[in-house]
Amino acid sequence: MDKDWSQGYFTEVGYTFGYYREISPVFIRFCLLLQGVMPPESATPNYCELGIGQGLSLNLHGATTPGRFFGTDFNPEHAAFAQSLARAAALPLDIRDESFEEFLHADLPPMDYIALHGIWTWVSIENHQQIVNFARKFLKPGGVLYLSYNCFPGWAPAAPLRQLFALHDRFASRAQGAFARMDSAIQFSERLLDANSAYARAVPGVKERLTKIKEQNRNYIAHEFFNRDWNVMYFADVADRLADAKLEFAASATPLNAVDAINLSPEAQEMMREVTHPVLKEQMRDYFTFAQFRKDIFMRGVCRLTDPEKSQRLLNTRFVLMNWPEDIPRKIVGNWLEGNLQPEIYDPLLATLAEREFAPKTLRSLCTAMANIANAQQVLQAVTILVGMGHLAPCQDEETVKKVRTSSDHLNNVILNRAVFSRDIAYLAAPVTGGAVSVNRMQQLFLLAKERKIADPAAFVWQIFQENNERMVKEGQVIENDEESLKEIKANYASFVTKAMPLLKAMGVLR
């Protein structure tokens, strides 16, 4: 009998083609600086991603960031796609389809960064140990381990619901095919909740939770809820496990967590000030916010910066807008309160960030421009909030951007040409941010038309849609008329030229 290489992981359908900014070295460095922690210092770091999925993030970071990039995903379909993308873009990435145990014996250099997104919860306890062993063996002193995972107490009410899915799939499903089995398990669970169960009465929001699950991407549902292993843990237990590799908690990769005013009540803030132990402090935060998902940065040796060092490094950090000021909501929602962004601070700050066609600006220059309006701490908090909301991004320095422009262009060219036949990748490499920017399929085709110097981009896109037997959709309704379809594409193109292209140029996607 063949060995079960899947080890209980759901491999019948592929994972989504997602991009995760939190595992970008540039983003991680910013999160560490916010907490006054010295980031890895290498200008050409070694970076390894464990469980790469389709490998999109690894390719995007390998194209936009100097260094050597390694990754593995034991699903050969995922590894093959990631390899094909890297090969087409001429990126020298080392991508394998090895398990964590096999990868532990690979000939690899010491790592500055090891990243795992969406892996820890969905693999076995034995694989947890392999991950710890890998970090112990390969992570440099001062190196980073990024880890995201489902956590308690936030998952406590809904964890029994996931157990229902798994039990039905294991013992009662007669459906054929992965999606049919998933649908059957969800329908069974829905019936159980509706049958006046004490569980549904005790947890009033669980039915709404199930409704939201049903609305999500089906590939995501498969990998989120239908693996054999599903290990939700408390932060303190994760910290204990990683301590075996000499790792300690350094920072959250969720910048908004640094803004206590929107997340913690005054009483909670007072209690937090009374506690000094970092593990207890973080676990308390999860109780106060009822956290169900964490994005954590651990380090093998946390070196604290002095306040002047922290200040200078932050002041020298560049930032670039990801959206036009008028398109940025002036409301922020935290765990404790929902509030409006102060117009007297955010309006002039966003106007300054938009100057010179959205060119990146250092925090120092922003503080200078805002000197008569807000102090440096207020400007930093506003920048942190905008980064946390996803409207602003920390940047690399200009010399680094120059070094990665060619590799970024190559990867983007591959993605743009792929858009002729596929809509699965919705991102392009952004060398200025050392990461990616969301660019939908139609916008990618507009850029392809520009690259090919096509006189009528809208007609070019409509021809591709027709060849692929695709129709335009407006406000949820399919447009059946060809003339109206072309008109809608032209409207999209006009908006793209006016709104999207200046931002893409500022982020280095366009020259």
Side-chain angles (χ1 to χ4, degrees), residues 20 22 24 93 105 166-167 256 271 308 323 334 358 416-417 443-444 450 456 460 470 477 479 500 511:
Y20 309 100
E22 293 83 3
S24 157
L93 310 185
H105 302 290
L167 289 174
L256 289 181
M271 280 194 71
N323 293 296
F358 302 96
L416 294 182
N417 280 281
Q443 294 172 332
Q444 290 179 23
K450 182 178 183 298
D456 190 342
F460 170 74
E470 299 176 76
Q477 300 295 316
I479 302 175
R511 298 246 187 179

PDB file of all heavy atoms in Angstrom, residues 20 22 24 93 105 166-167 256 271 308 323 334 358 416-417 443-444 450 456 460 470 477 479 500 511:
ATOM      1  N   TYR A  20      -0.023  37.337   1.230  1.00  0.00           N
ATOM      2  CA  TYR A  20      -0.071  37.683   2.647  1.00  0.00           C
ATOM      3  C   TYR A  20       1.072  38.634   2.980  1.00  0.00           C
ATOM      4  O   TYR A  20       2.241  38.237   3.053  1.00  0.00           O
ATOM      5  CB  TYR A  20      -0.016  36.408   3.497  1.00  0.00           C
ATOM      6  CG  TYR A  20      -1.055  35.412   3.019  1.00  0.00           C
ATOM      7  CD1 TYR A  20      -0.698  34.345   2.206  1.00  0.00           C
ATOM      8  CD2 TYR A  20      -2.399  35.612   3.318  1.00  0.00           C
ATOM      9  CE1 TYR A  20      -1.663  33.462   1.725  1.00  0.00           C
ATOM     10  CE2 TYR A  20      -3.369  34.739   2.833  1.00  0.00           C
ATOM     11  CZ  TYR A  20      -2.991  33.671   2.041  1.00  0.00           C
ATOM     12  OH  TYR A  20      -3.948  32.814   1.553  1.00  0.00           O
ATOM     13  N   GLU A  22       1.890  40.021   5.640  1.00  0.00           N
ATOM     14  CA  GLU A  22       2.517  39.838   6.947  1.00  0.00           C
ATOM     15  C   GLU A  22       3.807  39.031   6.882  1.00  0.00           C
ATOM     16  O   GLU A  22       4.613  39.075   7.816  1.00  0.00           O
ATOM     17  CB  GLU A  22       1.540  39.160   7.920  1.00  0.00           C
ATOM     18  CG  GLU A  22       0.347  40.010   8.286  1.00  0.00           C
ATOM     19  CD  GLU A  22      -0.777  39.945   7.276  1.00  0.00           C
ATOM     20  OE1 GLU A  22      -0.656  39.176   6.295  1.00  0.00           O
ATOM     21  OE2 GLU A  22      -1.795  40.651   7.441  1.00  0.00           O
ATOM     22  N   SER A  24       6.049  39.372   4.476  1.00  0.00           N
ATOM     23  CA  SER A  24       7.047  40.163   3.751  1.00  0.00           C
ATOM     24  C   SER A  24       8.121  40.642   4.726  1.00  0.00           C
ATOM     25  O   SER A  24       7.804  41.186   5.791  1.00  0.00           O
ATOM     26  CB  SER A  24       6.381  41.375   3.090  1.00  0.00           C
ATOM     27  OG  SER A  24       7.317  42.400   2.859  1.00  0.00           O
ATOM     28  N   LEU A  93      14.486  30.699  -7.182  1.00  0.00           N
ATOM     29  CA  LEU A  93      13.927  30.225  -5.919  1.00  0.00           C
ATOM     30  C   LEU A  93      14.166  28.721  -5.771  1.00  0.00           C
ATOM     31  O   LEU A  93      14.112  27.980  -6.750  1.00  0.00           O
ATOM     32  CB  LEU A  93      12.427  30.512  -5.846  1.00  0.00           C
ATOM     33  CG  LEU A  93      11.951  31.931  -6.179  1.00  0.00           C
ATOM     34  CD1 LEU A  93      10.455  32.046  -5.933  1.00  0.00           C
ATOM     35  CD2 LEU A  93      12.718  32.964  -5.370  1.00  0.00           C
ATOM     36  N   HIS A 105      16.188  17.826   6.800  1.00  0.00           N
ATOM     37  CA  HIS A 105      17.476  17.225   6.436  1.00  0.00           C
ATOM     38  C   HIS A 105      18.052  17.815   5.153  1.00  0.00           C
ATOM     39  O   HIS A 105      19.051  17.315   4.626  1.00  0.00           O
ATOM     40  CB  HIS A 105      17.306  15.711   6.287  1.00  0.00           C
ATOM     41  CG  HIS A 105      16.788  15.055   7.534  1.00  0.00           C
ATOM     42  ND1 HIS A 105      17.536  14.939   8.688  1.00  0.00           N
ATOM     43  CD2 HIS A 105      15.566  14.509   7.818  1.00  0.00           C
ATOM     44  CE1 HIS A 105      16.821  14.347   9.621  1.00  0.00           C
ATOM     45  NE2 HIS A 105      15.620  14.070   9.124  1.00  0.00           N
ATOM     46  N   ALA A 166     -16.096  17.682  10.725  1.00  0.00           N
ATOM     47  CA  ALA A 166     -15.113  16.605  10.616  1.00  0.00           C
ATOM     48  C   ALA A 166     -15.744  15.241  10.913  1.00  0.00           C
ATOM     49  O   ALA A 166     -15.459  14.248  10.223  1.00  0.00           O
ATOM     50  CB  ALA A 166     -13.954  16.866  11.573  1.00  0.00           C
ATOM     51  N   LEU A 167     -16.622  15.181  11.923  1.00  0.00           N
ATOM     52  CA  LEU A 167     -17.246  13.904  12.286  1.00  0.00           C
ATOM     53  C   LEU A 167     -18.179  13.406  11.186  1.00  0.00           C
ATOM     54  O   LEU A 167     -18.200  12.213  10.865  1.00  0.00           O
ATOM     55  CB  LEU A 167     -18.004  14.049  13.597  1.00  0.00           C
ATOM     56  CG  LEU A 167     -17.135  14.212  14.852  1.00  0.00           C
ATOM     57  CD1 LEU A 167     -18.006  14.498  16.070  1.00  0.00           C
ATOM     58  CD2 LEU A 167     -16.280  12.959  15.082  1.00  0.00           C
ATOM     59  N   LEU A 256      -2.464  47.350  14.034  1.00  0.00           N
ATOM     60  CA  LEU A 256      -3.516  47.971  14.839  1.00  0.00           C
ATOM     61  C   LEU A 256      -3.497  47.483  16.283  1.00  0.00           C
ATOM     62  O   LEU A 256      -4.040  48.152  17.168  1.00  0.00           O
ATOM     63  CB  LEU A 256      -4.890  47.721  14.213  1.00  0.00           C
ATOM     64  CG  LEU A 256      -5.188  48.477  12.913  1.00  0.00           C
ATOM     65  CD1 LEU A 256      -6.582  48.151  12.416  1.00  0.00           C
ATOM     66  CD2 LEU A 256      -5.030  49.979  13.093  1.00  0.00           C
ATOM     67  N   MET A 271      -4.952  47.465  33.656  1.00  0.00           N
ATOM     68  CA  MET A 271      -4.493  46.128  34.045  1.00  0.00           C
ATOM     69  C   MET A 271      -3.250  45.718  33.267  1.00  0.00           C
ATOM     70  O   MET A 271      -2.316  45.124  33.815  1.00  0.00           O
ATOM     71  CB  MET A 271      -5.599  45.093  33.823  1.00  0.00           C
ATOM     72  CG  MET A 271      -6.659  45.043  34.895  1.00  0.00           C
ATOM     73  SD  MET A 271      -7.667  43.539  34.759  1.00  0.00           S
ATOM     74  CE  MET A 271      -6.494  42.274  35.275  1.00  0.00           C
ATOM     75  N   PRO A 308      16.067  56.416  21.308  1.00  0.00           N
ATOM     76  CA  PRO A 308      16.576  57.207  20.175  1.00  0.00           C
ATOM     77  C   PRO A 308      16.820  56.362  18.922  1.00  0.00           C
ATOM     78  O   PRO A 308      16.540  56.819  17.802  1.00  0.00           O
ATOM     79  CB  PRO A 308      17.889  57.781  20.710  1.00  0.00           C
ATOM     80  CG  PRO A 308      17.719  57.802  22.191  1.00  0.00           C
ATOM     81  CD  PRO A 308      16.909  56.583  22.504  1.00  0.00           C
ATOM     82  N   ASN A 323      -4.059  53.751  -1.709  1.00  0.00           N
ATOM     83  CA  ASN A 323      -5.352  54.221  -2.213  1.00  0.00           C
ATOM     84  C   ASN A 323      -5.366  55.745  -2.248  1.00  0.00           C
ATOM     85  O   ASN A 323      -4.579  56.405  -1.555  1.00  0.00           O
ATOM     86  CB  ASN A 323      -6.504  53.729  -1.321  1.00  0.00           C
ATOM     87  CG  ASN A 323      -6.695  52.229  -1.379  1.00  0.00           C
ATOM     88  OD1 ASN A 323      -7.030  51.683  -2.417  1.00  0.00           O
ATOM     89  ND2 ASN A 323      -6.461  51.561  -0.260  1.00  0.00           N
ATOM     90  N   GLY A 334     -12.149  49.137  16.121  1.00  0.00           N
ATOM     91  CA  GLY A 334     -11.283  48.330  16.965  1.00  0.00           C
ATOM     92  C   GLY A 334     -12.095  47.354  17.776  1.00  0.00           C
ATOM     93  O   GLY A 334     -13.329  47.275  17.650  1.00  0.00           O
ATOM     94  N   PHE A 358       2.117  60.735  -5.428  1.00  0.00           N
ATOM     95  CA  PHE A 358       2.119  59.636  -4.463  1.00  0.00           C
ATOM     96  C   PHE A 358       3.517  59.076  -4.183  1.00  0.00           C
ATOM     97  O   PHE A 358       3.656  57.968  -3.653  1.00  0.00           O
ATOM     98  CB  PHE A 358       1.199  58.482  -4.914  1.00  0.00           C
ATOM     99  CG  PHE A 358      -0.225  58.889  -5.131  1.00  0.00           C
ATOM    100  CD1 PHE A 358      -0.693  59.216  -6.394  1.00  0.00           C
ATOM    101  CD2 PHE A 358      -1.102  58.987  -4.060  1.00  0.00           C
ATOM    102  CE1 PHE A 358      -2.004  59.603  -6.596  1.00  0.00           C
ATOM    103  CE2 PHE A 358      -2.423  59.376  -4.248  1.00  0.00           C
ATOM    104  CZ  PHE A 358      -2.876  59.693  -5.518  1.00  0.00           C
ATOM    105  N   LEU A 416       0.754  38.955 -16.104  1.00  0.00           N
ATOM    106  CA  LEU A 416      -0.089  39.655 -17.070  1.00  0.00           C
ATOM    107  C   LEU A 416      -0.445  38.756 -18.251  1.00  0.00           C
ATOM    108  O   LEU A 416      -1.600  38.738 -18.707  1.00  0.00           O
ATOM    109  CB  LEU A 416       0.613  40.914 -17.576  1.00  0.00           C
ATOM    110  CG  LEU A 416       0.866  42.034 -16.561  1.00  0.00           C
ATOM    111  CD1 LEU A 416       1.527  43.233 -17.236  1.00  0.00           C
ATOM    112  CD2 LEU A 416      -0.413  42.446 -15.870  1.00  0.00           C
ATOM    113  N   ASN A 417       0.509  38.023 -18.753  1.00  0.00           N
ATOM    114  CA  ASN A 417       0.226  37.128 -19.879  1.00  0.00           C
ATOM    115  C   ASN A 417      -0.666  35.961 -19.448  1.00  0.00           C
ATOM    116  O   ASN A 417      -1.481  35.483 -20.245  1.00  0.00           O
ATOM    117  CB  ASN A 417       1.531  36.611 -20.481  1.00  0.00           C
ATOM    118  CG  ASN A 417       2.175  37.625 -21.410  1.00  0.00           C
ATOM    119  OD1 ASN A 417       1.777  37.796 -22.556  1.00  0.00           O
ATOM    120  ND2 ASN A 417       3.179  38.332 -20.899  1.00  0.00           N
ATOM    121  N   GLN A 443      -7.837  44.774 -14.947  1.00  0.00           N
ATOM    122  CA  GLN A 443      -6.758  45.747 -14.853  1.00  0.00           C
ATOM    123  C   GLN A 443      -5.447  45.161 -15.374  1.00  0.00           C
ATOM    124  O   GLN A 443      -4.660  45.862 -16.032  1.00  0.00           O
ATOM    125  CB  GLN A 443      -6.609  46.215 -13.407  1.00  0.00           C
ATOM    126  CG  GLN A 443      -7.802  47.012 -12.901  1.00  0.00           C
ATOM    127  CD  GLN A 443      -7.713  47.285 -11.412  1.00  0.00           C
ATOM    128  OE1 GLN A 443      -7.108  46.518 -10.656  1.00  0.00           O
ATOM    129  NE2 GLN A 443      -8.318  48.378 -10.973  1.00  0.00           N
ATOM    130  N   GLN A 444      -5.213  43.892 -15.090  1.00  0.00           N
ATOM    131  CA  GLN A 444      -4.008  43.244 -15.618  1.00  0.00           C
ATOM    132  C   GLN A 444      -4.020  43.239 -17.146  1.00  0.00           C
ATOM    133  O   GLN A 444      -2.992  43.469 -17.791  1.00  0.00           O
ATOM    134  CB  GLN A 444      -3.899  41.814 -15.079  1.00  0.00           C
ATOM    135  CG  GLN A 444      -3.580  41.730 -13.598  1.00  0.00           C
ATOM    136  CD  GLN A 444      -3.500  40.301 -13.097  1.00  0.00           C
ATOM    137  OE1 GLN A 444      -3.259  39.378 -13.874  1.00  0.00           O
ATOM    138  NE2 GLN A 444      -3.703  40.094 -11.801  1.00  0.00           N
ATOM    139  N   LYS A 450      -1.176  47.872 -22.620  1.00  0.00           N
ATOM    140  CA  LYS A 450      -0.203  48.970 -22.594  1.00  0.00           C
ATOM    141  C   LYS A 450       1.184  48.456 -22.969  1.00  0.00           C
ATOM    142  O   LYS A 450       1.903  49.083 -23.757  1.00  0.00           O
ATOM    143  CB  LYS A 450      -0.179  49.590 -21.198  1.00  0.00           C
ATOM    144  CG  LYS A 450       0.762  50.780 -21.031  1.00  0.00           C
ATOM    145  CD  LYS A 450       0.660  51.342 -19.618  1.00  0.00           C
ATOM    146  CE  LYS A 450       1.531  52.587 -19.456  1.00  0.00           C
ATOM    147  NZ  LYS A 450       2.962  52.323 -19.652  1.00  0.00           N
ATOM    148  N   ASP A 456      -6.313  50.299 -28.717  1.00  0.00           N
ATOM    149  CA  ASP A 456      -7.635  50.296 -28.088  1.00  0.00           C
ATOM    150  C   ASP A 456      -7.680  49.214 -27.008  1.00  0.00           C
ATOM    151  O   ASP A 456      -8.095  48.071 -27.260  1.00  0.00           O
ATOM    152  CB  ASP A 456      -8.718  50.045 -29.137  1.00  0.00           C
ATOM    153  CG  ASP A 456     -10.123  50.277 -28.591  1.00  0.00           C
ATOM    154  OD1 ASP A 456     -10.288  50.301 -27.355  1.00  0.00           O
ATOM    155  OD2 ASP A 456     -11.062  50.435 -29.397  1.00  0.00           O
ATOM    156  N   PHE A 460      -9.362  45.276 -26.901  1.00  0.00           N
ATOM    157  CA  PHE A 460      -8.459  44.146 -26.653  1.00  0.00           C
ATOM    158  C   PHE A 460      -9.008  43.253 -25.542  1.00  0.00           C
ATOM    159  O   PHE A 460      -9.059  42.021 -25.667  1.00  0.00           O
ATOM    160  CB  PHE A 460      -7.073  44.705 -26.290  1.00  0.00           C
ATOM    161  CG  PHE A 460      -6.095  43.687 -25.781  1.00  0.00           C
ATOM    162  CD1 PHE A 460      -5.505  42.771 -26.645  1.00  0.00           C
ATOM    163  CD2 PHE A 460      -5.745  43.652 -24.433  1.00  0.00           C
ATOM    164  CE1 PHE A 460      -4.583  41.836 -26.168  1.00  0.00           C
ATOM    165  CE2 PHE A 460      -4.839  42.729 -23.945  1.00  0.00           C
ATOM    166  CZ  PHE A 460      -4.254  41.821 -24.820  1.00  0.00           C
ATOM    167  N   GLU A 470     -16.584  34.547 -21.915  1.00  0.00           N
ATOM    168  CA  GLU A 470     -16.887  35.229 -20.665  1.00  0.00           C
ATOM    169  C   GLU A 470     -17.777  36.437 -20.941  1.00  0.00           C
ATOM    170  O   GLU A 470     -17.706  37.037 -22.008  1.00  0.00           O
ATOM    171  CB  GLU A 470     -15.588  35.689 -19.984  1.00  0.00           C
ATOM    172  CG  GLU A 470     -14.652  34.553 -19.619  1.00  0.00           C
ATOM    173  CD  GLU A 470     -13.352  35.059 -19.034  1.00  0.00           C
ATOM    174  OE1 GLU A 470     -13.352  35.468 -17.862  1.00  0.00           O
ATOM    175  OE2 GLU A 470     -12.336  35.063 -19.753  1.00  0.00           O
ATOM    176  N   GLN A 477     -25.276  41.758 -12.232  1.00  0.00           N
ATOM    177  CA  GLN A 477     -26.094  41.333 -13.362  1.00  0.00           C
ATOM    178  C   GLN A 477     -25.220  41.133 -14.605  1.00  0.00           C
ATOM    179  O   GLN A 477     -24.361  41.955 -14.914  1.00  0.00           O
ATOM    180  CB  GLN A 477     -27.174  42.383 -13.676  1.00  0.00           C
ATOM    181  CG  GLN A 477     -28.136  42.637 -12.529  1.00  0.00           C
ATOM    182  CD  GLN A 477     -28.977  41.415 -12.194  1.00  0.00           C
ATOM    183  OE1 GLN A 477     -29.493  40.730 -13.082  1.00  0.00           O
ATOM    184  NE2 GLN A 477     -29.119  41.137 -10.900  1.00  0.00           N
ATOM    185  N   ILE A 479     -24.221  41.279 -18.335  1.00  0.00           N
ATOM    186  CA  ILE A 479     -24.553  42.134 -19.474  1.00  0.00           C
ATOM    187  C   ILE A 479     -24.554  41.264 -20.728  1.00  0.00           C
ATOM    188  O   ILE A 479     -23.522  40.728 -21.128  1.00  0.00           O
ATOM    189  CB  ILE A 479     -23.530  43.281 -19.628  1.00  0.00           C
ATOM    190  CG1 ILE A 479     -23.479  44.118 -18.344  1.00  0.00           C
ATOM    191  CG2 ILE A 479     -23.884  44.159 -20.826  1.00  0.00           C
ATOM    192  CD1 ILE A 479     -22.415  45.202 -18.369  1.00  0.00           C
ATOM    193  N   ALA A 500      -5.991  54.157 -10.844  1.00  0.00           N
ATOM    194  CA  ALA A 500      -5.080  53.076 -10.487  1.00  0.00           C
ATOM    195  C   ALA A 500      -3.652  53.305 -10.962  1.00  0.00           C
ATOM    196  O   ALA A 500      -2.691  53.029 -10.224  1.00  0.00           O
ATOM    197  CB  ALA A 500      -5.605  51.751 -11.039  1.00  0.00           C
ATOM    198  N   ARG A 511       6.803  51.711 -14.634  1.00  0.00           N
ATOM    199  CA  ARG A 511       8.003  52.578 -14.650  1.00  0.00           C
ATOM    200  C   ARG A 511       7.574  54.007 -15.005  1.00  0.00           C
ATOM    201  O   ARG A 511       6.639  54.205 -15.746  1.00  0.00           O
ATOM    202  CB  ARG A 511       8.970  52.053 -15.708  1.00  0.00           C
ATOM    203  CG  ARG A 511       9.432  50.626 -15.381  1.00  0.00           C
ATOM    204  CD  ARG A 511      10.876  50.598 -15.083  1.00  0.00           C
ATOM    205  NE  ARG A 511      11.366  49.230 -14.930  1.00  0.00           N
ATOM    206  CZ  ARG A 511      12.626  48.935 -14.680  1.00  0.00           C
ATOM    207  NH1 ARG A 511      13.505  49.902 -14.549  1.00  0.00           N
ATOM    208  NH2 ARG A 511      13.019  47.701 -14.522  1.00  0.00           N
TER     209      ARG A 511
END
